[in-house]
DNA sequence: CCTCTGCATTGATCCAGATCAATGCCGTGC
DNA sequence: GCACGGCATTGATCTGGATCAATGCAGAGG
């Protein structure tokens, strides 16, 4: 199938850093320094990357795959953040040398660059470009978190589902079938509800022009859907990660 | 009463910056640059500092007072973050030149340093110490937000109230009356519930050794309280704001 | 092929917390 | 002093979504 990958898959930590878009403005020797003692790790489906309350030993850069960040109490788990590559996993904990507040678990398979925490802190603390890049990354994560909170607190289950699906089929001409990007149970947890509620509510959403059949969504009535489910850029908008451009005096 | 304030109350933007703890490691001339076109603004009780969806014209440093950050939909408002001085208001929006996701409203009276957004970005982008300080600030805010989310998602109304009160009277010897730091309606909204539910649930909390009478809390049975309400440092712990120390090579 | 395991669906029921409504209370201004 | 407006309390009721429990269904491995 994939005869022509967009670019070579990184096989060393250094290559992985070089391919990370939001590190573009960071000088090569700074990346060298980060990569110095780093390793590129393949993580199998379902593994836990770190545990709540652990003190970070590494800064973790997610190069490919998805990671769930879960709040844990006893046996209970609830999703707090869903991380897409490429991104840092909870940089705040690493920067402040404080314990992780969440458990990280990968979906599917993931690749991670593991950078010594101390190396990471020192390099950030001595290089402005990197510091700005990390700041932009952290800022974007913060805003995503706020959007997530707003989604949960301001919308009902039905609206959350409707908007989620609408975003997926946005732009396609009505009738085009689109595959769901995740298993339903994962979508449910991202939207802050149980599997059962998700399943049930799909039926009522269908009555507003968005039909889900198996793992395929299909917009049946754009007008009806648009009336019932209003996408809000301050909730549903994509959060870009753009470091501030430096003006050298 | 306050014949001897801890230190002089700042009367210029420059003084206010100098008194801000987490800017301690920033060089004086950098602070000068920030303060250049800045103004120190007194904001009366209840005023809205900025509106959801506005594009930031200023970086806002809260010097004294408290600010509620609210998610708004139509007429509905729900609290997402509660900011204590000294702190930046949603630095992420300013850094990325993106619209605010929340409405900011002050409680009581507040004092704000307003720094031109462009000046702020440029100064951050050209000064490592400042960049690190802002990064630390943003990281702390992120972690507070995560803790808040965990509090809401992992605990019941009763537990949230119990832990909140426990934190307040923590350390005092049983029987000591302590004043609530805020009006009850505000505590309720910080804890993500309605006034009514808060009021009601105080009765059931009292049965576990924590009594609230009017605006006064009092620990009646430390043992009982400790059993029912377990403070978790990963939720209830204070989140410090400490910039990474720089090691100049 | 059959079994096993994990996901999805569907139904019945439950319950925490919201909502609606009335009353009391206290500080402020006239 | 009195009236008023915002907060708090208390009661009655409602309900969105969770929970518990079966059943169906598909892919993986023997």
């Amino acid at each position: 199938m994939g005869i022509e990958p967009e670019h070579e898959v990184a096989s060393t930590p250094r290559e992985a850093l070089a391919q990370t878009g939001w590190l573009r403005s960071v000088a090569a020797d700074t990346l060298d320094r980060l990569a110095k003692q780093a390793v590129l790790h393949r993580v199998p489906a379902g593994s836990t990357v770190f545990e709540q309350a652990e003190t970070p030993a590494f800064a973790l850069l997610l190069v490919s795959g998805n990671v769930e960040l879960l709040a844990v109490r006893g046996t209970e788990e609830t999703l707090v953040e869903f991380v897409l590559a490429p991104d840092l996993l909870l940089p705040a904990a690493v920067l402040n040398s404080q314990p992780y507040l969440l458990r990280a678990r990968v979906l599917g398979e993931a690749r991670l660059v593991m950078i010594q925490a101390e190396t990471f802190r020192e390099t950030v603390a001595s290089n402005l470009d990197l510091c700005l890049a990390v700041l932009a990354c952290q800022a974007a994560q913060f805003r995503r978190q706020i959007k997530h909170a707003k989604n949960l607190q301001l919308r009902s289950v039905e609206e959350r589902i409707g908007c989620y699906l609408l975003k997926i089929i946005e732009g396609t001409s009505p009738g085009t079938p689109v595959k769901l990007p995740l298993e339903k149970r994962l979508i449910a947890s991202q939207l802050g509800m149980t599997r059962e509620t998700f399943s049930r509510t799909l039926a009522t959403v269908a009555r507003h022009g968005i039909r889900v059949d198996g793992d395929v969504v299909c917009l049946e009535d754009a007008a009806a859907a648009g009336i019932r489910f209003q996408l809000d850029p301050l909730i549903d908008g994509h959060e870009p990660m753009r470091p501030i451009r430096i003006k050298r005096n």
Side-chain angles (χ1 to χ4, degrees), chain A:
Chain A
M1 307 291 133
I3 300 177
E4 218 151 10
E6 202 171 301
H7 52 214
E8 291 307 316
V9 171
S11 62
T12 68
R14 185 61 184 77
E15 281 174 33
L17 294 182
Q19 289 174 10
T20 301
W22 55 274
L23 289 174
R24 207 174 307 117
S25 57
V26 178
D29 63 339
T30 306
L31 295 185
D32 289 341
R33 182 170 165 192
L34 284 176
K36 198 82 175 202
Q37 305 194 36
V39 299
L40 177 59
H41 203 77
R42 296 193 86 86
V43 190
S47 23
T48 296
V49 177
F50 53 73
E51 200 52 68
Q52 196 175 257
E54 274 181 30
T55 296
F58 301 95
L60 298 172
L61 173 67
L62 181 65
V63 174
S64 71
N66 305 318
V67 172
E68 296 176 296
L69 298 177
L70 307 157
V72 182
R73 190 166 83 158
T75 163
E76 206 159 343
E77 272 186 349
T78 95
L79 185 140
V80 173
E81 202 188 332
F82 190 81
V83 184
L84 305 176
D87 208 345
L88 290 172
L89 300 184
L90 295 182
V94 183
L95 292 167
N96 290 9
S97 310
Q98 274 162 353
Y100 287 121
L101 300 174
L102 301 168
R103 169 183 298 169
R105 181 193 304 142
V106 310
L107 299 183
E109 190 184 64
R111 290 184 309 138
L112 290 169
V113 176
M114 306 175 68
I115 303 168
Q116 300 288 332
E118 197 52 37
T119 305
F120 181 73
R121 282 189 291 267
E122 284 170 7
T123 312
V124 169
S126 61
N127 183 274
L128 182 53
D129 295 300
L130 177 60
C131 189
L132 285 167
V134 172
L135 179 54
C137 170
Q138 176 67 82
Q141 286 193 24
F142 180 84
R143 285 174 60 90
R144 272 182 228 121
Q145 190 59 35
I146 299 288
K147 286 178 178 178
H148 188 236
K150 288 180 68 177
N151 197 27
L152 294 185
Q153 296 187 39
L154 250 29
R155 305 218 263 224
S156 71
V157 158
E158 187 185 340
E159 290 170 311
R160 274 175 269 160
I161 297 180
C163 292
Y164 179 89
L165 296 177
L166 206 46
K167 205 168 33 164
I168 289 178
I169 52 186
E170 197 179 32
T172 71
S173 58
T176 318
V178 182
K179 267 198 126 188
L180 294 179
L182 292 170
E183 285 175 30
K184 286 181 178 175
R185 80 192 161 91
L186 296 172
I187 297 176
S189 98
Q190 248 189 92
L191 298 180
M193 66 193 73
T194 60
R195 265 208 276 303
E196 294 96 320
T197 299
F198 181 74
S199 198
R200 260 186 256 289
T201 311
L202 282 182
T204 88
V205 168
R207 266 184 262 111
H208 295 275
I210 304 178
R211 183 160 310 278
V212 174
D213 194 14
D215 61 353
V216 170
V217 213
C218 179
L219 179 57
E220 291 192 326
D221 182 345
I227 290 168
R228 178 74 186 82
F229 306 113
Q230 318 260 351
L231 288 186
D232 176 351
L234 301 184
I235 296 179
D236 307 292
H238 170 65
E239 191 62 43
M241 190 138 54
R242 33 161 154 147
I244 317 177
R245 272 260 150 281
I246 300 191
K247 286 183 198 163
R248 309 287 183 190
N249 6 352

